[in-house]
Amino acid sequence: MTPSPPSTPLDLRPDEVHVWLVEPERIEDPRLLEAYKALLDPGERERQRRFHFERHQRQYLVSHALVRLTLSRYAPVAPEAWRFVPNEYGRPAIVGPVGQWLRFNLSHTDGMALVAVGRDVDLGADIEDAERPGETVEIADHYFAKTEVQALRSLPKEHQRARFFEYWTLKEAYIKARGAGLSLPLDQFAFDLVPGQMPGIAFDPRMNDLPDVWQFMQHKPSARHQAAVAFRRPRGGALSVRWQHTVPLAGDMAPVIKTT
């Protein structure tokens, strides 16, 4: 099984973001897994090997193969030929003469991984397993903005956990889009979630950012997973988002879901 870039790259318009999702734990074909491993560079193979649990090794393998194969859908570069360099906060960017207009962001959790791709746009993405054990609202009390904590605590207890993960994925997506990760204080920006509307954001003046330049999208790809993407609006309008489930090298699993 030898992967190669498509003969006709997929179209990615400046007003689009494409999000590709995969379920790593459901991929058991050893031929696929070996093909994925062949795409990784030596550093990625070493990082994959260091994970103690097999499921985490598989999540890393499948998600990083997904990045390479997805980028090769849009630019004439072999999946194994992509090279990346991290910024000071660890966010990778493409190195080389081809495909530098592509922007991408990877996120994975138990049961699901995604990569978001855009054209010359700052973007970030996050996906979380909302059924994972551990504290949720207690974390919000310590790290979220006061308005978010108040809104969260005002909900019935049975709805607080789901809302926590809505906030968390949006916050993660935003700080990843900024390229600075957790160096940005989570309590200095707040999301306003209104049913039927796109999430809004407000900033503490110390953040030196403007709400109107940002757009956010949420998605539930499964009953247990919550996802979000964040991106700077292009001049003159909003972006549309396409969500697509796939099995890398094995074809698409589900129809495209488009949101605007």
Side-chain angles (χ1 to χ4, degrees):
M1 186 177 295
T2 304
S4 60
S7 55
T8 304
L10 290 181
D11 183 38
L12 181 61
R13 302 196 312 266
D15 62 349
E16 287 184 323
V17 170
H18 294 177
V19 185
W20 296 84
L21 303 107
V22 64
E23 298 175 73
E25 287 88 335
R26 294 184 62 181
I27 300 176
E28 299 180 347
D29 186 337
R31 296 173 300 171
L32 279 177
L33 297 174
E34 284 302 314
Y36 298 159
K37 189 174 293 187
L39 301 180
L40 305 188
D41 65 30
E44 289 170 326
R45 292 192 196 110
E46 175 60 23
R47 286 188 288 275
Q48 188 224 359
R49 187 189 64 80
R50 291 176 188 168
F51 285 102
H52 179 73
F53 295 107
E54 191 277 336
R55 78 175 188 277
H56 293 150
Q57 290 184 355
R58 180 159 317 177
Q59 288 169 15
Y60 184 95
L61 171 63
V62 175
S63 63
H64 285 74
L66 174 69
V67 169
R68 292 174 171 276
L69 289 159
T70 298
L71 293 177
S72 291
R73 293 178 183 267
Y74 302 98
V77 177
E80 66 275 14
W82 292 102
R83 295 293 177 263
F84 310 103
V85 61
N87 70 6
E88 60 183 304
Y89 301 103
R91 175 176 175 162
I94 293 169
V95 176
V98 180
Q100 289 196 21
W101 54 271
L102 283 166
R103 300 290 184 270
F104 71 96
N105 201 231
L106 170 67
S107 180
H108 58 86
T109 187
D110 283 353
M112 194 81 69
L114 65 76
V115 60
V117 185
R119 176 183 284 272
D120 287 322
V121 61
D122 292 332
L123 61 81
D126 188 52
I127 189 164
E128 300 291 340
D129 177 6
E131 294 182 358
R132 73 186 188 202
E135 295 181 339
T136 54
V137 180
E138 296 80 6
I139 293 174
D141 287 339
H142 289 93
Y143 296 106
F144 285 10
K146 289 182 179 180
T147 56
E148 293 170 328
V149 175
Q150 292 168 354
L152 188 59
R153 289 290 189 180
S154 69
L155 294 173
K157 283 193 174 182
E158 62 269 24
H159 298 308
Q160 290 180 7
R161 186 176 184 86
R163 179 56 58 89
F164 167 85
F165 281 103
E166 288 193 69
Y167 282 133
W168 184 263
T169 52
L170 286 164
K171 283 179 171 289
E172 282 279 340
Y174 169 73
I175 63 176
K176 292 171 74 178
R178 286 280 301 267
L182 287 171
S183 67
L184 296 177
L186 297 181
D187 63 348
Q188 290 186 17
F189 60 98
F191 284 95
D192 183 23
L193 301 181
V194 178
Q197 299 181 20
M198 286 193 296
I201 192 170
F203 295 109
D204 183 290
R206 291 171 291 179
M207 288 292 291
N208 193 30
D209 207 344
L210 299 172
D212 291 346
V213 305
W214 289 97
Q215 184 179 337
F216 303 92
M217 289 286 186
Q218 297 175 281
H219 182 53
K220 278 191 68 65
S222 79
R224 64 185 269 208
H225 291 100
Q226 178 68 46
V229 292
F231 36 83
R232 292 187 191 270
R233 296 177 186 271
R235 292 181 179 178
L239 284 85
S240 64
V241 180
R242 185 186 78 174
W243 306 82
Q244 173 73 58
H245 287 260
T246 187
V247 175
L249 296 180
D252 297 332
M253 292 175 59
V256 171
I257 303 167
K258 288 187 177 180
T259 59
T260 55

